[in-house]
Amino acid sequence: AQSVTQPDIHITVSEGASLELRCNYSYGATPYLFWYVQSPGQGLQLLLKYFSGDTLVQGIKGFEAEFKRSQSSFNLRKPSVHWSDAAEYFCAVGAKEYGNKLVFGAGTILRVKS
Amino acid sequence: DVKVTQSSRYLVKRTGEKVFLECVQDMDHENMFWYRQDPGLGLRLIYFSYDVKMKEKGDIPEGYSVSREKKERFSLILESASTNQTSMYLCATVRDRSSPLHFGNGTRLTVT
């Protein structure tokens, strides 16, 4: 069965520091990969997605993610974190074979300290 | 811009009550989903629908049912609410698998 693992429940970084949020997946098919962000009291917003092609994808708000098939990973990165990036981040995975269903990770809560 | 509207932001119900959570979308999308979100568990799929009157079970359908009588409306039903169904419920819609999910703002349900 497909699964998505976000190993870090909480991460705290200083404002201006770099950030990497980890995501590993277990899928029997070629995956579609997404990162969503949820700010406190808000709905989920898409940051970026990977379907095919260049394995380094750029998203909104200065985020990027790299798909590494050999490691079954899709880690999210940002070179310099802003206080407004404090939120919960979800990795999600889908596949053509599973229709339009997505499986979400448990989420990583990002805290930013000034 | 796609709009997904969940009828209630907060809901408090008693154990054993029948509960209806409503979701309406305005973009003519065929695919609609109900997730529940719990701390440390992320989003878990309850049910989804890919067309009117069509539905499929997700990963945690027990205790829930759904209704899709019109394309724009997807209802989640708790036949007899229980305290372990206290959660945040999120409705989502998507055009196709290459498109992002569009989420409603959620309904926080408390069952006492």
Side-chain angles (χ1 to χ4, degrees):
Chain A
Q2 54 270 40
S3 66
V4 180
T5 302
Q6 292 180 245
D8 304 303
I9 299 174
H10 297 99
I11 282 186
T12 300
V13 299
S14 298
E15 192 169 15
S18 64
L19 170 70
E20 183 170 35
L21 302 183
R22 295 182 291 166
C23 174
N24 294 95
Y25 63 90
S26 171
Y27 253 67
T30 301
Y32 306 137
L33 299 154
F34 304 81
W35 276 99
Y36 285 84
V37 61
Q38 186 179 37
S39 298
Q42 302 295 315
L44 277 82
Q45 181 184 22
L46 179 72
L47 281 176
L48 46 78
K49 63 181 180 181
Y50 170 80
F51 277 73
S52 63
D54 192 348
T55 55
L56 183 64
V57 293
Q58 304 296 320
I60 62 172
K61 304 184 181 186
F63 285 91
E64 66 177 26
E66 186 171 12
F67 171 52
K68 292 186 178 180
R69 186 185 299 276
S70 61
Q71 298 177 19
S72 297
S73 69
F74 188 56
N75 294 349
L76 181 71
R77 301 194 294 248
K78 187 169 184 178
S80 178
V81 168
H82 188 262
W83 64 266
S84 61
D85 293 324
E88 189 163 15
Y89 292 79
F90 294 94
C91 179
V93 183
K96 179 180 177 182
E97 288 74 7
Y98 303 118
N100 294 316
K101 280 177 55 175
L102 286 187
V103 175
F104 283 79
T108 297
I109 296 172
L110 173 65
R111 297 193 180 104
V112 180
K113 57 182 181 181
S114 54
Chain B
D1 213 16
V2 177
K3 188 162 185 179
V4 181
T5 304
Q6 294 183 232
S7 53
S8 303
R9 183 76 180 188
Y10 298 96
L11 214 50
V12 179
K13 295 292 181 180
R14 294 185 185 273
T15 301
E17 276 193 82
K18 189 169 186 175
V19 182
F20 292 86
L21 303 184
E22 306 287 346
C23 176
V24 178
Q25 53 108 350
D26 67 355
M27 278 301 289
D28 205 37
H29 288 177
E30 292 178 339
N31 303 286
M32 297 187 75
F33 305 81
W34 275 106
Y35 288 90
R36 64 177 281 178
Q37 182 181 10
D38 300 287
L41 296 176
L43 280 72
R44 293 178 293 166
L45 182 63
I46 304 171
Y47 265 97
F48 63 104
S49 168
Y50 50 88
D51 203 348
V52 175
K53 296 191 186 294
M54 305 300 286
K55 60 185 179 184
E56 282 198 30
K57 293 180 179 179
D59 300 316
I60 52 164
E62 297 78 19
Y64 303 94
S65 63
V66 291
S67 173
R68 184 104 181 261
E69 296 296 319
K70 293 184 178 181
K71 194 172 190 178
E72 67 271 19
R73 186 180 296 271
F74 191 35
S75 304
L76 180 69
I77 303 158
L78 286 67
E79 295 291 342
S80 177
S82 63
T83 54
N84 62 13
Q85 293 178 308
T86 292
S87 185
M88 171 69 86
Y89 290 87
L90 294 170
C91 175
T93 179
V94 70
R95 183 183 65 204
D96 54 50
R97 70 174 70 89
S98 66
S99 303
L101 285 171
H102 295 272
F103 286 88
N105 283 332
T107 296
R108 186 167 292 282
L109 172 68
T110 302
V111 182
T112 62

